[in-house]
Amino acid sequence: MRPSLCATLLLLALCSCSPLPSAARPDRSAPPGGPEPQRRGTRAKAPEPSVPPELEFLAEFAGKHRLWVIAAPSHTDNYLRMMEKQIQDMEPEGLSCRLAERDTLIVTIVQNAMMEGKIRRPSFQGEPREDTIDSDMVTKLLHYLDLEEPVFSMLILKKNLLVGERFPYPVRVAAILEVIDQLPARKLEKLTRKGSTGRCKRRGNFTTVPKPRPTLDKKAVLRSQVQNILSGRSRFVIRKDSAGGRRTQTFAPEGTDSRRKQDAGEEVTGDGALRAKGAGPPSRTDRPRGREKGKGKKNGRKKGKGKKSQRDANDRDKKALKTFLEKLEGKRRLMVISAPGENSPAYLQQKAENQQNHCDLALRKVSMVTILGPENNSTLHLLHYLLDAEPPFDAGPDKQTDPGLIGQIRKEYGIIPKDFSLVLTDYDLRSKKLFQSPVSTPLLMDNLDSFPSREPEMKREKSKPAACPTPGAPGEPENSLLRFMSKRRLLIISTPSEDDYSFQQQLQALNGQSCHLGIRHFALLKLVGAGSMASGSVELLPLNGKSQSELEPLTGDMVNGLRGHLKITREYFSMLVVGKDGEVKAWFPSPMWSLVNVYDLVDSMEQRQQEQRLQGTLGIQCPEDSNRNVHGYEDEGEESYLYRRPED
């Protein structure tokens, strides 16, 4: 081999075995001062999971979480209620922790006119957190999962954003967990996350049931031990107790390490017994004395007395809790709030929310239990939300400081003293919802209204709406509009009477426009009559143009308040368009046979154009009619007066 070739090979071998440090290696490809490119031989970081642009709304979950999606056409759907009941019943058994171990979130979607959705984030501590989902994200998710038909459906969305399993009907929660455990990624997780199941051994509502011990025949056991000694399989051992100098007799199996016993200050005698080093042969005094036995029993009785007193205290506290709850069970729903102190920001925020919605809470028969202060120095306050026509409700003192009762209430509802907690119960006073942060009014009322016991109450309220106290109070009309803020546009029709000719004309013109108004995110408000005879309704039109509309009544006070706030006359017909920002965008003093002006006005807004792009991507549109143009209204139409205000 030529010397030059040998030198070249040797140089290459040295370079491959001991590469230059990164600071010493020249970089000919990078410009001076520019970023250093990836070099060969260096280990690149694992790339983040890439998400296509059309799935950006799921980027938060890609590669991190699985989604258990439950979709239903309404809150009262029997299948949905069955699954919610299963989930609630399994909470005390650690369902939240088992879902957290599997990186699984629960997404519940109600395909009603509002396209409601919420996401439940379990935790290893067993305290799930619920967040609402924006209606746009709900619409995107339904389209992506091919769940656009308003029927009950469940599915498992894997971490790679692909559907793992679909269920057209309710199944056991255990079956859902089994399906997740069969996923390939989950099998790998179980191998790489050894010991993670220990994290689910949380403190809380678990009840350990001791396994029954098999009954043993003492004579048979003693006979077996004697036979083992005689045959040499075990030894009769006397050990010295370091605490009281007593000796205990035990049976040691053959093969016990005698060296370990000698190191401990004992030696093995010829007959296999143990005695202290340097001690003489065992005597009668080595046996336990009767007095010492009695002393041990006496000590045992002392310990027993301590345990008994503790049991008595626990029984006393449980009895106090039972007495406290018996006065409320079947009559009131509970909102249990716990906070570190009365100046806690979270508590003050929730307190302000509740004060503004006194009537709504009274209508739902809610009593509030507030526990303020640290664990060893707390005060319990009891407040009943009542309508003016209701008599006072007596359920004991409004303020208590009994630490035993307060501790039992915290234990009953899984409340941690140092954090803010809010628990909602139904008439059975069992925990239904647990929140770790202040709850907004819509979410609070939605959760209360989802209880099965609310269904007959809501039917009675619709047939005969209950008027809230303090009519015409400042801020009431604004609160009525705040419900729709950033979510709905309003088409308001006001008329002095239901028989008004203009009103009837406008109703005829609205026939067949439910889909076109719905995809433009309209809610239709009808304000009829004046004064004490005023009444009205709100029709929530479907956002996807397919679901059923929802109709809700308006009280006379709300009708009069809205008219006063928006400066709507009571004597004549008028129709208004209110934007999502709460401002009046157009005013029509006469009926509109064609809604061309309304649609053109809304479609010219930038926010609506963004909605149109999203709906075009998802394929949301109304079925075209041969006699109608793309806007969904007749090509011919009479002239109408239109008064527009500048857009904000």
Side-chain angles (χ1 to χ4, degrees):
M1 186 178 293
R2 289 178 297 177
S4 60
L5 181 59
C6 293
T8 303
L9 293 176
L10 180 61
L11 180 61
L12 289 175
L14 290 174
C15 291
S16 61
C17 295
S18 57
L20 290 172
S22 59
R25 286 200 298 267
D27 183 11
R28 298 176 181 176
S29 60
E36 186 178 2
Q38 182 70 38
R39 304 182 188 90
R40 292 183 180 179
T42 59
R43 179 173 295 178
K45 298 178 76 174
E48 295 291 332
S50 59
V51 179
E54 65 273 13
L55 299 181
E56 286 183 355
F57 68 100
L58 291 175
E60 175 188 355
F61 314 108
K64 301 176 183 177
H65 298 287
R66 300 177 180 91
L67 298 184
W68 171 11
V69 183
I70 306 174
S74 68
H75 287 288
T76 58
D77 183 78
N78 289 331
Y79 285 171
L80 175 62
R81 290 165 63 179
M82 288 172 63
M83 290 308 304
E84 289 180 337
K85 183 70 167 56
Q86 274 200 83
I87 293 171
Q88 290 174 3
D89 291 345
M90 289 197 65
E91 270 304 323
E93 301 177 17
L95 175 62
S96 179
C97 184
R98 293 161 72 181
L99 290 173
E101 181 189 349
R102 292 163 174 82
D103 301 333
T104 302
L105 312 180
I106 302 178
V107 176
T108 305
I109 295 174
V110 178
Q111 294 173 270
N112 56 9
M114 295 295 288
M115 284 295 173
E116 300 175 70
K118 61 182 179 181
I119 184 167
R120 187 174 186 269
R121 303 176 186 271
S123 69
F124 285 101
Q125 290 73 32
E127 298 161 356
R129 190 190 74 206
E130 284 192 353
D131 300 321
T132 56
I133 305 177
D134 183 73
S135 59
D136 286 342
M137 182 177 176
V138 170
T139 306
K140 293 178 183 178
L141 187 58
L142 288 173
H143 178 73
Y144 173 68
L145 300 176
D146 194 19
L147 297 176
E148 296 182 353
E149 292 298 325
V151 294
F152 179 88
S153 181
M154 287 197 310
L155 56 86
I156 302 298
L157 192 65
K158 299 186 290 186
K159 289 186 177 181
N160 59 2
L161 305 183
L162 297 179
V163 176
E165 189 70 37
R166 290 182 184 267
F167 306 90
Y169 42 77
V171 298
R172 294 180 300 108
V173 173
I176 297 289
L177 299 179
E178 289 175 8
V179 169
I180 295 174
D181 287 340
Q182 294 303 315
L183 297 175
R186 174 60 189 154
K187 291 180 179 179
L188 183 61
E189 290 170 0
K190 287 193 288 187
L191 294 175
T192 57
R193 298 180 182 178
K194 292 183 179 179
S196 64
T197 54
R199 300 175 65 182
C200 285
K201 295 179 181 178
R202 58 180 179 84
R203 58 183 181 87
N205 298 326
F206 287 111
T207 316
T208 56
V209 181
K211 295 182 179 179
R213 296 183 178 180
T215 56
L216 301 177
D217 186 354
K218 294 183 179 179
K219 292 183 179 180
V221 173
L222 182 60
R223 190 183 304 112
S224 174
Q225 291 176 345
V226 171
Q227 290 177 354
N228 290 338
I229 293 173
L230 295 175
S231 62
R233 287 195 296 270
S234 64
R235 306 169 186 164
F236 188 69
V237 180
I238 300 177
R239 286 193 174 89
K240 183 178 180 181
D241 190 352
S242 59
R246 297 168 52 202
R247 292 177 180 268
T248 57
Q249 301 174 357
T250 60
F251 293 91
E254 184 67 29
T256 305
D257 189 359
S258 60
R259 183 180 301 277
R260 177 178 57 81
K261 297 183 178 67
Q262 291 174 3
D263 293 341
E266 297 175 335
E267 60 183 2
V268 184
T269 61
D271 58 355
L274 293 181
R275 61 185 176 87
K277 281 187 177 180
S283 64
R284 300 171 71 100
T285 58
D286 293 332
R287 299 177 182 175
R289 298 177 181 177
R291 187 184 304 172
E292 291 175 348
K293 288 184 179 179
K295 193 178 296 182
K297 289 182 179 179
K298 188 176 181 181
N299 293 337
R301 282 196 297 271
K302 287 183 180 179
K303 293 180 181 179
K305 284 184 179 179
K307 292 180 179 178
K308 184 177 180 182
S309 61
Q310 182 64 33
R311 284 198 301 268
D312 292 341
N314 291 338
D315 292 342
R316 218 170 25 246
D317 296 340
K318 291 179 180 177
K319 186 176 180 181
L321 174 65
K322 183 179 179 182
T323 303
F324 177 79
L325 295 179
E326 277 179 347
K327 298 177 181 178
L328 300 165
E329 188 173 4
K331 303 172 185 176
R332 307 289 296 179
R333 298 181 177 93
L334 284 188
M335 180 194 302
V336 184
I337 297 177
S338 176
E342 59 181 356
N343 295 322
S344 169
Y347 167 68
L348 293 176
Q349 180 181 345
Q350 189 63 54
K351 182 180 178 182
E353 287 276 350
N354 294 347
Q355 287 175 347
Q356 292 178 2
N357 298 277
H358 182 283
C359 174
D360 293 321
L361 294 171
L363 197 64
R364 290 161 176 81
K365 300 186 182 301
V366 174
S367 293
M368 184 170 67
V369 177
T370 308
I371 301 175
L372 301 175
E375 185 172 5
N376 298 324
N377 186 22
S378 302
T379 305
L380 183 148
H381 301 270
L382 181 61
L383 173 65
H384 308 289
Y385 291 99
L386 301 170
L387 297 173
D388 288 344
E390 290 183 289
F393 186 83
D394 184 17
D398 298 338
K399 182 178 179 181
Q400 299 190 47
T401 57
D402 181 5
L405 172 62
I406 294 174
Q408 286 294 323
I409 292 177
R410 281 179 168 147
K411 183 179 179 181
E412 176 74 16
Y413 296 112
I415 292 174
I416 301 175
K418 63 181 181 180
D419 299 327
F420 174 88
S421 298
L422 188 149
V423 176
L424 293 179
T425 80
D426 204 350
Y427 289 130
D428 59 1
L429 304 187
R430 295 182 180 179
S431 176
K432 304 297 182 186
K433 300 289 182 180
L434 172 64
F435 302 92
Q436 297 296 323
S437 58
V439 186
S440 62
T441 299
L443 181 59
L444 187 65
M445 300 308 163
D446 286 347
N447 277 280
L448 289 170
D449 290 342
S450 67
F451 297 160
S453 63
R454 273 289 293 159
E455 187 174 353
E457 294 176 355
M458 288 190 289
K459 288 181 180 178
R460 290 195 296 269
E461 291 165 10
K462 286 183 179 181
S463 60
K464 187 179 179 181
C468 288
T470 61
E476 183 177 306
E478 290 85 344
N479 289 336
S480 301
L481 294 178
L482 281 174
R483 173 188 175 189
F484 304 102
M485 192 71 71
S486 76
K487 298 178 181 178
R488 288 278 186 167
R489 299 178 180 91
L490 305 182
L491 185 62
I492 302 177
I493 304 175
S494 177
T495 179
S497 71
E498 199 165 356
D499 298 329
D500 182 74
Y501 180 70
S502 298
F503 179 65
Q504 293 298 328
Q505 280 187 315
Q506 191 61 67
L507 291 184
Q508 290 181 20
L510 289 173
N511 284 337
Q513 297 298 309
S514 175
C515 176
H516 297 284
L517 289 170
I519 65 173
R520 288 173 174 84
H521 298 181
F522 268 107
L524 178 61
L525 278 70
K526 299 173 186 176
L527 314 180
V528 182
S532 59
M533 302 299 294
S535 64
S537 65
V538 178
E539 184 177 1
L540 300 175
L541 301 164
L543 300 181
N544 61 354
K546 296 180 181 180
S547 305
Q548 293 294 323
S549 299
E550 293 185 5
L551 191 66
E552 300 177 5
L554 290 176
T555 65
D557 294 327
M558 294 180 68
V559 170
N560 293 328
L562 282 170
R563 279 178 172 157
H565 177 68
L566 297 173
K567 306 297 188 294
I568 303 175
T569 180
R570 310 182 246 189
E571 286 81 14
Y572 307 104
F573 169 90
S574 57
M575 185 168 70
L576 293 77
V577 175
V578 179
K580 289 187 176 182
D581 56 1
E583 296 293 328
V584 177
K585 304 299 182 184
W587 196 299
F588 305 92
S590 61
M592 304 277 295
W593 279 105
S594 170
L595 297 183
V596 56
N597 290 327
V598 174
Y599 294 152
D600 283 346
L601 169 64
V602 174
D603 292 343
S604 66
M605 298 177 182
E606 183 177 353
Q607 187 175 13
R608 172 59 195 153
Q609 292 171 3
Q610 295 175 358
E611 296 168 1
Q612 283 179 305
R613 286 192 288 270
L614 172 61
Q615 291 172 347
T617 304
L618 302 179
I620 296 177
Q621 60 181 354
C622 295
E624 298 296 334
D625 185 53
S626 58
N627 295 327
R628 298 179 183 272
N629 59 21
V630 292
H631 292 295
Y633 44 77
E634 301 288 351
D635 289 328
E636 69 275 11
E638 63 182 25
E639 287 292 329
S640 59
Y641 297 97
L642 171 64
Y643 298 89
R644 295 181 55 175
R645 295 187 181 181
E647 295 182 24
D648 293 336

